[in-house]
Amino acid sequence: MSTSKPIVKGFFEPRTFSIQYVVADPETKKCAIIDPVLDFDEKSGATTTSSADEILAYVKAEGYEIEWILDTHPHADHFSAASYLNKVTGAPTAIGEKVTEVQKLWKSIYNWPEFRADGSQWDRLFAEGDTFKVGNIPARVLFSPGHTLASITYVIGDAAFVHDTLFMPDSGTARADFPGGSATRLYNSIMEILSLPDETRIFTGHDYQPGGREPLWESTVAEQKAKNTHMSKCATEAEFVAVRTARDKTLAMPKLILHALQVNMNGGRLPEPEANGKRYLKFPLDALEGVTWDDR
């Protein structure tokens, strides 16, 4: 008999506080990888595939077959390993169809006229309400903008992968001040997620370990409604927007946003090597607002 409860394994990446996931159907042993990280050190410019290879080792040890490599949105704080995993495994990549809006926005920021802002860097672009399967487990897509224009949630069986919308209850919600972000749209996205059954498992994409606690990434809809430090204290959309906007004004831009977006809006592909065999990132100056000069 098929199950609606996938096996979920989280992999915490401490440099960027990211959680990567393997979601598996215990019956068929088929799985999806969600939001894999390509390791990058901004001080030296070094890249490795250590985090992605750890996932591959787990998949092999469990005897899983990879059906999907899924991104929830183009990330601003780490490089995506989707392209690397696609080359190694042949599994198709996917993201939400609104990624084209992010591509068009950042194509201008990077002054990259030849860039293809059509989403063709992924094998499938999901629309709102699209359905698919992981093994025999039904999955569907919720459009969850606010943090970015392209953010989506994957609901796979009883598990919802919300990435940058809700964090763990003691951490609140994601910022909404990136280019194309909106606190109002984020609130509406979160309310749709919280309308899922109370027992739905919520898996977040980052954990910043408030108070120095151990990293955590799993909660439930019921726990989020009762305890989320933002949602439980904001009775209205207006209250949430005020709280979120005030908080965002105190935050520095992610240290890797200008490094990462040019890679992630290209499906996780690093720039092609130049004549000397080296790859180079393009780094626009004075491109973003939100600087905090006292930030270290």
Side-chain angles (χ1 to χ4, degrees):
M1 177 179 295
S2 64
T3 177
S4 62
K5 190 177 180 69
I7 297 170
V8 179
K9 171 70 172 178
F11 295 81
F12 183 70
E13 198 289 294
R15 290 175 66 93
T16 60
F17 304 95
S18 302
I19 301 97
Q20 312 153 90
Y21 292 102
V22 175
V23 190
D25 175 5
E27 178 186 20
T28 65
K29 293 283 191 173
K30 293 183 178 179
C31 73
I33 297 173
I34 300 179
D35 289 323
V37 171
L38 182 70
D39 305 291
F40 170 68
D41 177 64
E42 75 279 6
K43 298 181 181 69
S44 67
T47 61
T48 77
T49 59
S50 298
S51 292
D53 290 337
E54 181 183 1
I55 292 174
L56 291 175
Y58 169 78
V59 167
K60 182 178 180 181
E62 296 296 321
Y64 292 156
E65 177 186 349
I66 302 170
E67 282 194 305
W68 291 100
I69 301 164
L70 306 173
D71 278 315
T72 53
H73 66 289
H75 305 279
D77 43 20
H78 64 79
F79 291 2
S80 170
S83 179
Y84 168 71
L85 289 173
N86 169 259
K87 290 177 182 177
V88 171
T89 69
T93 59
I95 199 169
E97 66 177 0
K98 299 294 185 180
V99 71
T100 57
E101 296 185 19
V102 174
Q103 290 178 319
K104 291 170 185 174
L105 174 65
W106 284 87
K107 174 179 180 174
S108 174
I109 291 173
Y110 286 117
N111 189 31
W112 194 353
E114 69 275 17
F115 178 77
R116 292 175 293 117
D118 58 4
S120 59
Q121 295 84 357
W122 289 265
D123 296 304
R124 179 165 176 182
L125 300 182
F126 286 120
E128 165 74 18
D130 272 358
T131 60
F132 62 105
K133 286 187 175 182
V134 176
N136 290 331
I137 298 177
R140 62 190 176 100
V141 173
L142 303 180
F143 182 39
S144 303
H147 175 65
T148 75
L149 290 164
S151 299
I152 61 175
T153 293
Y154 295 106
V155 182
I156 304 174
D158 75 334
F161 297 87
V162 303
H163 211 277
D164 286 305
T165 52
L166 291 163
F167 294 140
M168 290 301 292
D170 61 352
S171 296
T173 60
R175 65 192 298 168
D177 61 331
F178 293 163
S182 164
T184 298
R185 298 182 84 183
L186 179 63
Y187 177 83
N188 292 326
S189 296
I190 290 171
M191 293 305 291
E192 182 176 21
I193 292 168
L194 295 183
S195 70
L196 294 169
D198 279 355
E199 64 272 17
T200 302
R201 293 181 289 164
I202 299 291
F203 292 95
T204 191
H206 288 291
D207 185 64
Y208 297 103
Q209 302 173 266
R213 62 158 171 72
E214 289 299 306
L216 299 170
W217 50 79
E218 179 179 350
S219 60
T220 65
V221 167
E223 290 169 344
Q224 289 285 351
K225 288 193 290 191
K227 300 178 182 179
N228 185 282
T229 188
H230 291 160
M231 301 308 296
S232 65
K233 296 176 182 177
C234 296
T236 67
E237 175 186 307
E239 289 179 3
F240 174 82
V241 169
V243 167
R244 186 67 264 168
T245 301
R247 170 64 176 155
D248 288 348
K249 288 180 179 179
T250 71
L251 301 177
M253 281 287 117
K255 63 182 179 180
L256 297 185
I257 186 170
L258 293 173
H259 308 72
L261 260 296
Q262 61 196 287
V263 171
N264 294 339
M265 74 179 195
N266 200 23
R269 293 168 179 81
L270 296 174
E272 290 297 315
E274 297 189 9
N276 62 356
K278 299 294 184 182
R279 304 175 191 267
Y280 293 85
L281 295 172
K282 188 173 185 178
F283 200 89
L285 301 180
D286 300 314
L288 301 178
E289 298 179 356
V291 63
T292 53
W293 289 103
D294 59 347
D295 178 66
R296 299 294 186 267

